Amino acid sequence: MSAEWALEVFDKAPYITVSMTGADGVPYGLPLSLVRTDERTFWFHCATEGKKLDVLKENPRVFLSAVTKCRPLRGPKDGSFTLEFQSATGFGTAEIVEAEETKKEALRAICERFLPERMEGFEEAVTRSLHRTTVVRITLSEPPVGKRKQYDANGYEMKYGRVDTSCTDAK
């Protein structure tokens, strides 16, 4: 699937798993609530200390993955057990944001994605907690990749982008 389609999957996913590797070579991954502000930039926030920040400071390279519209089923044609899904992956680099204005912009984007109906309290909350909040920017180093397994109404697998290429209702 196209990079644009993969970005749409990322946008619809309730969380995105961010995988990283520590200096000791041990993998570490966490499902996080990310927001995307353009075709290459994702943001998340966290406390000012913790394992993920320690790992990212050692090695800022990350891998993002998300799955939506996941549904186990019996194959409509042959009765096999399978799973319909839409997924997206991407490689990037994480960077801890220091500039206060950039942090506020990122936090606004996060809040607008996950709690748009409560934005009236945003300014007060940011004023109260910005000093104890870390914001991380992830910049994709290449276009993301999207994959899916999906069947049409006649039970044929829609391969190679056949028929419906959107990921509407991806949740």
Side-chain angles (χ1 to χ4, degrees), residues 93-119:
T93 303
E95 168 191 9
I96 296 170
V97 176
E98 300 295 340
E100 194 170 290
E101 260 329 289
T102 305
K103 285 175 70 170
K104 287 180 183 179
E105 289 171 19
L107 291 169
R108 178 175 297 283
I110 292 167
C111 289
E112 286 174 344
R113 176 176 182 206
F114 293 103
L115 209 55
E117 68 279 0
R118 300 301 301 265
M119 290 305 291

mmCIF file of all heavy atoms in Angstrom, residues 93-119:
data_model
loop_
_atom_site.group_PDB
_atom_site.id
_atom_site.type_symbol
_atom_site.label_atom_id
_atom_site.label_comp_id
_atom_site.label_asym_id
_atom_site.label_seq_id
_atom_site.Cartn_x
_atom_site.Cartn_y
_atom_site.Cartn_z
ATOM 1 N N THR A 93 13.916 8.869 13.661
ATOM 2 C CA THR A 93 14.849 9.304 14.695
ATOM 3 C C THR A 93 14.087 10.155 15.701
ATOM 4 O O THR A 93 13.322 11.040 15.318
ATOM 5 C CB THR A 93 15.993 10.135 14.067
ATOM 6 O OG1 THR A 93 16.634 9.327 13.075
ATOM 7 C CG2 THR A 93 17.003 10.548 15.111
ATOM 8 N N ALA A 94 14.318 9.858 16.974
ATOM 9 C CA ALA A 94 13.654 10.595 18.052
ATOM 10 C C ALA A 94 14.575 11.687 18.587
ATOM 11 O O ALA A 94 15.793 11.509 18.662
ATOM 12 C CB ALA A 94 13.277 9.637 19.172
ATOM 13 N N GLU A 95 13.959 12.800 18.956
ATOM 14 C CA GLU A 95 14.710 13.940 19.476
ATOM 15 C C GLU A 95 13.904 14.584 20.600
ATOM 16 O O GLU A 95 12.707 14.867 20.438
ATOM 17 C CB GLU A 95 14.913 14.935 18.331
ATOM 18 C CG GLU A 95 15.399 16.276 18.711
ATOM 19 C CD GLU A 95 15.319 17.270 17.550
ATOM 20 O OE1 GLU A 95 14.730 16.965 16.501
ATOM 21 O OE2 GLU A 95 15.854 18.378 17.736
ATOM 22 N N ILE A 96 14.544 14.802 21.715
ATOM 23 C CA ILE A 96 13.892 15.477 22.841
ATOM 24 C C ILE A 96 13.838 16.970 22.523
ATOM 25 O O ILE A 96 14.850 17.576 22.162
ATOM 26 C CB ILE A 96 14.635 15.204 24.156
ATOM 27 C CG1 ILE A 96 14.555 13.700 24.474
ATOM 28 C CG2 ILE A 96 14.060 16.048 25.292
ATOM 29 C CD1 ILE A 96 15.426 13.249 25.611
ATOM 30 N N VAL A 97 12.654 17.540 22.632
ATOM 31 C CA VAL A 97 12.430 18.945 22.283
ATOM 32 C C VAL A 97 12.739 19.823 23.491
ATOM 33 O O VAL A 97 12.238 19.573 24.592
ATOM 34 C CB VAL A 97 10.964 19.159 21.825
ATOM 35 C CG1 VAL A 97 10.693 20.629 21.565
ATOM 36 C CG2 VAL A 97 10.673 18.315 20.600
ATOM 37 N N GLU A 98 13.546 20.834 23.270
ATOM 38 C CA GLU A 98 13.908 21.772 24.347
ATOM 39 C C GLU A 98 13.149 23.092 24.245
ATOM 40 O O GLU A 98 12.827 23.697 25.261
ATOM 41 C CB GLU A 98 15.414 22.036 24.329
ATOM 42 C CG GLU A 98 16.270 20.790 24.515
ATOM 43 C CD GLU A 98 16.112 20.123 25.868
ATOM 44 O OE1 GLU A 98 15.649 20.786 26.831
ATOM 45 O OE2 GLU A 98 16.431 18.923 25.969
ATOM 46 N N ALA A 99 12.864 23.551 23.035
ATOM 47 C CA ALA A 99 12.232 24.859 22.839
ATOM 48 C C ALA A 99 10.808 24.852 23.396
ATOM 49 O O ALA A 99 9.970 24.042 22.985
ATOM 50 C CB ALA A 99 12.228 25.223 21.361
ATOM 51 N N GLU A 100 10.535 25.766 24.303
ATOM 52 C CA GLU A 100 9.242 25.819 24.981
ATOM 53 C C GLU A 100 8.076 25.999 24.012
ATOM 54 O O GLU A 100 7.047 25.345 24.149
ATOM 55 C CB GLU A 100 9.268 26.942 26.024
ATOM 56 C CG GLU A 100 8.119 26.869 26.990
ATOM 57 C CD GLU A 100 8.295 27.831 28.151
ATOM 58 O OE1 GLU A 100 9.182 27.590 28.985
ATOM 59 O OE2 GLU A 100 7.513 28.804 28.211
ATOM 60 N N GLU A 101 8.214 26.883 23.031
ATOM 61 C CA GLU A 101 7.119 27.111 22.074
ATOM 62 C C GLU A 101 6.829 25.862 21.255
ATOM 63 O O GLU A 101 5.673 25.531 20.996
ATOM 64 C CB GLU A 101 7.433 28.285 21.149
ATOM 65 C CG GLU A 101 6.797 29.605 21.465
ATOM 66 C CD GLU A 101 5.426 29.565 22.131
ATOM 67 O OE1 GLU A 101 4.433 29.203 21.462
ATOM 68 O OE2 GLU A 101 5.331 29.907 23.309
ATOM 69 N N THR A 102 7.872 25.153 20.847
ATOM 70 C CA THR A 102 7.699 23.918 20.088
ATOM 71 C C THR A 102 7.013 22.864 20.947
ATOM 72 O O THR A 102 6.133 22.136 20.479
ATOM 73 C CB THR A 102 9.056 23.396 19.565
ATOM 74 O OG1 THR A 102 9.680 24.436 18.808
ATOM 75 C CG2 THR A 102 8.878 22.163 18.694
ATOM 76 N N LYS A 103 7.402 22.786 22.211
ATOM 77 C CA LYS A 103 6.754 21.842 23.133
ATOM 78 C C LYS A 103 5.254 22.153 23.236
ATOM 79 O O LYS A 103 4.425 21.251 23.165
ATOM 80 C CB LYS A 103 7.397 21.924 24.521
ATOM 81 C CG LYS A 103 8.754 21.267 24.614
ATOM 82 C CD LYS A 103 9.406 21.476 25.969
ATOM 83 C CE LYS A 103 8.719 20.701 27.067
ATOM 84 N NZ LYS A 103 9.484 20.722 28.335
ATOM 85 N N LYS A 104 4.913 23.417 23.380
ATOM 86 C CA LYS A 104 3.504 23.810 23.489
ATOM 87 C C LYS A 104 2.726 23.459 22.220
ATOM 88 O O LYS A 104 1.599 22.966 22.293
ATOM 89 C CB LYS A 104 3.384 25.310 23.777
ATOM 90 C CG LYS A 104 3.771 25.690 25.182
ATOM 91 C CD LYS A 104 3.632 27.200 25.374
ATOM 92 C CE LYS A 104 4.074 27.634 26.747
ATOM 93 N NZ LYS A 104 3.977 29.091 26.936
ATOM 94 N N GLU A 105 3.324 23.719 21.060
ATOM 95 C CA GLU A 105 2.661 23.387 19.794
ATOM 96 C C GLU A 105 2.415 21.882 19.688
ATOM 97 O O GLU A 105 1.345 21.442 19.255
ATOM 98 C CB GLU A 105 3.506 23.872 18.612
ATOM 99 C CG GLU A 105 3.545 25.368 18.449
ATOM 100 C CD GLU A 105 4.564 25.817 17.414
ATOM 101 O OE1 GLU A 105 4.993 24.995 16.574
ATOM 102 O OE2 GLU A 105 4.940 27.004 17.440
ATOM 103 N N ALA A 106 3.409 21.090 20.072
ATOM 104 C CA ALA A 106 3.259 19.639 20.021
ATOM 105 C C ALA A 106 2.186 19.168 21.000
ATOM 106 O O ALA A 106 1.347 18.320 20.661
ATOM 107 C CB ALA A 106 4.592 18.965 20.329
ATOM 108 N N LEU A 107 2.200 19.711 22.205
ATOM 109 C CA LEU A 107 1.187 19.328 23.197
ATOM 110 C C LEU A 107 -0.210 19.720 22.736
ATOM 111 O O LEU A 107 -1.177 18.982 22.945
ATOM 112 C CB LEU A 107 1.512 19.949 24.557
ATOM 113 C CG LEU A 107 2.754 19.372 25.248
ATOM 114 C CD1 LEU A 107 3.144 20.227 26.442
ATOM 115 C CD2 LEU A 107 2.512 17.929 25.662
ATOM 116 N N ARG A 108 -0.330 20.866 22.086
ATOM 117 C CA ARG A 108 -1.629 21.273 21.540
ATOM 118 C C ARG A 108 -2.101 20.260 20.494
ATOM 119 O O ARG A 108 -3.254 19.835 20.495
ATOM 120 C CB ARG A 108 -1.566 22.676 20.928
ATOM 121 C CG ARG A 108 -2.900 23.111 20.310
ATOM 122 C CD ARG A 108 -2.869 24.536 19.811
ATOM 123 N NE ARG A 108 -2.639 25.499 20.867
ATOM 124 C CZ ARG A 108 -3.560 25.900 21.752
ATOM 125 N NH1 ARG A 108 -4.777 25.409 21.683
ATOM 126 N NH2 ARG A 108 -3.278 26.774 22.676
ATOM 127 N N ALA A 109 -1.205 19.848 19.603
ATOM 128 C CA ALA A 109 -1.572 18.863 18.574
ATOM 129 C C ALA A 109 -1.989 17.530 19.211
ATOM 130 O O ALA A 109 -2.965 16.906 18.776
ATOM 131 C CB ALA A 109 -0.402 18.655 17.606
ATOM 132 N N ILE A 110 -1.283 17.107 20.240
ATOM 133 C CA ILE A 110 -1.629 15.860 20.942
ATOM 134 C C ILE A 110 -3.019 15.981 21.561
ATOM 135 O O ILE A 110 -3.862 15.098 21.401
ATOM 136 C CB ILE A 110 -0.567 15.523 22.007
ATOM 137 C CG1 ILE A 110 0.762 15.156 21.333
ATOM 138 C CG2 ILE A 110 -1.057 14.394 22.914
ATOM 139 C CD1 ILE A 110 1.957 15.119 22.283
ATOM 140 N N CYS A 111 -3.250 17.080 22.252
ATOM 141 C CA CYS A 111 -4.553 17.281 22.909
ATOM 142 C C CYS A 111 -5.682 17.399 21.892
ATOM 143 O O CYS A 111 -6.778 16.876 22.122
ATOM 144 C CB CYS A 111 -4.504 18.515 23.809
ATOM 145 S SG CYS A 111 -3.488 18.265 25.275
ATOM 146 N N GLU A 112 -5.422 18.090 20.782
ATOM 147 C CA GLU A 112 -6.466 18.221 19.761
ATOM 148 C C GLU A 112 -6.812 16.882 19.139
ATOM 149 O O GLU A 112 -7.949 16.655 18.739
ATOM 150 C CB GLU A 112 -6.033 19.222 18.686
ATOM 151 C CG GLU A 112 -6.106 20.655 19.169
ATOM 152 C CD GLU A 112 -5.562 21.666 18.191
ATOM 153 O OE1 GLU A 112 -4.838 21.283 17.233
ATOM 154 O OE2 GLU A 112 -5.829 22.865 18.398
ATOM 155 N N ARG A 113 -5.852 15.983 19.070
ATOM 156 C CA ARG A 113 -6.152 14.655 18.523
ATOM 157 C C ARG A 113 -6.943 13.800 19.518
ATOM 158 O O ARG A 113 -7.917 13.159 19.164
ATOM 159 C CB ARG A 113 -4.877 13.907 18.138
ATOM 160 C CG ARG A 113 -5.246 12.498 17.681
ATOM 161 C CD ARG A 113 -4.152 11.642 17.181
ATOM 162 N NE ARG A 113 -4.748 10.372 16.757
ATOM 163 C CZ ARG A 113 -4.123 9.249 16.718
ATOM 164 N NH1 ARG A 113 -2.859 9.179 17.027
ATOM 165 N NH2 ARG A 113 -4.734 8.148 16.336
ATOM 166 N N PHE A 114 -6.499 13.773 20.767
ATOM 167 C CA PHE A 114 -7.062 12.818 21.713
ATOM 168 C C PHE A 114 -8.157 13.380 22.620
ATOM 169 O O PHE A 114 -8.925 12.603 23.181
ATOM 170 C CB PHE A 114 -5.941 12.209 22.567
ATOM 171 C CG PHE A 114 -5.018 11.348 21.763
ATOM 172 C CD1 PHE A 114 -3.774 11.810 21.377
ATOM 173 C CD2 PHE A 114 -5.410 10.086 21.344
ATOM 174 C CE1 PHE A 114 -2.925 11.023 20.617
ATOM 175 C CE2 PHE A 114 -4.578 9.292 20.584
ATOM 176 C CZ PHE A 114 -3.329 9.760 20.215
ATOM 177 N N LEU A 115 -8.256 14.690 22.761
ATOM 178 C CA LEU A 115 -9.274 15.260 23.638
ATOM 179 C C LEU A 115 -9.765 16.608 23.099
ATOM 180 O O LEU A 115 -9.768 17.617 23.801
ATOM 181 C CB LEU A 115 -8.683 15.418 25.044
ATOM 182 C CG LEU A 115 -9.626 15.339 26.225
ATOM 183 C CD1 LEU A 115 -10.423 14.048 26.222
ATOM 184 C CD2 LEU A 115 -8.868 15.500 27.512
ATOM 185 N N PRO A 116 -10.209 16.652 21.842
ATOM 186 C CA PRO A 116 -10.567 17.939 21.230
ATOM 187 C C PRO A 116 -11.717 18.657 21.933
ATOM 188 O O PRO A 116 -11.768 19.887 21.917
ATOM 189 C CB PRO A 116 -10.944 17.559 19.801
ATOM 190 C CG PRO A 116 -11.335 16.116 19.874
ATOM 191 C CD PRO A 116 -10.462 15.522 20.952
ATOM 192 N N GLU A 117 -12.590 17.912 22.568
ATOM 193 C CA GLU A 117 -13.740 18.529 23.230
ATOM 194 C C GLU A 117 -13.380 19.199 24.558
ATOM 195 O O GLU A 117 -14.228 19.839 25.175
ATOM 196 C CB GLU A 117 -14.849 17.487 23.451
ATOM 197 C CG GLU A 117 -14.527 16.401 24.449
ATOM 198 C CD GLU A 117 -13.667 15.254 23.912
ATOM 199 O OE1 GLU A 117 -13.289 15.264 22.728
ATOM 200 O OE2 GLU A 117 -13.367 14.351 24.702
ATOM 201 N N ARG A 118 -12.124 19.080 24.999
ATOM 202 C CA ARG A 118 -11.721 19.661 26.282
ATOM 203 C C ARG A 118 -10.615 20.706 26.138
ATOM 204 O O ARG A 118 -9.896 20.997 27.082
ATOM 205 C CB ARG A 118 -11.234 18.540 27.221
ATOM 206 C CG ARG A 118 -12.254 17.468 27.528
ATOM 207 C CD ARG A 118 -13.525 18.005 28.189
ATOM 208 N NE ARG A 118 -13.289 18.683 29.427
ATOM 209 C CZ ARG A 118 -13.370 18.138 30.628
ATOM 210 N NH1 ARG A 118 -13.704 16.880 30.749
ATOM 211 N NH2 ARG A 118 -13.124 18.848 31.707
ATOM 212 N N MET A 119 -10.475 21.293 24.979
ATOM 213 C CA MET A 119 -9.382 22.238 24.723
ATOM 214 C C MET A 119 -9.496 23.536 25.521
ATOM 215 O O MET A 119 -8.510 24.258 25.654
ATOM 216 C CB MET A 119 -9.288 22.546 23.225
ATOM 217 C CG MET A 119 -8.796 21.383 22.384
ATOM 218 S SD MET A 119 -7.210 20.692 22.920
ATOM 219 C CE MET A 119 -6.106 22.034 22.514
#
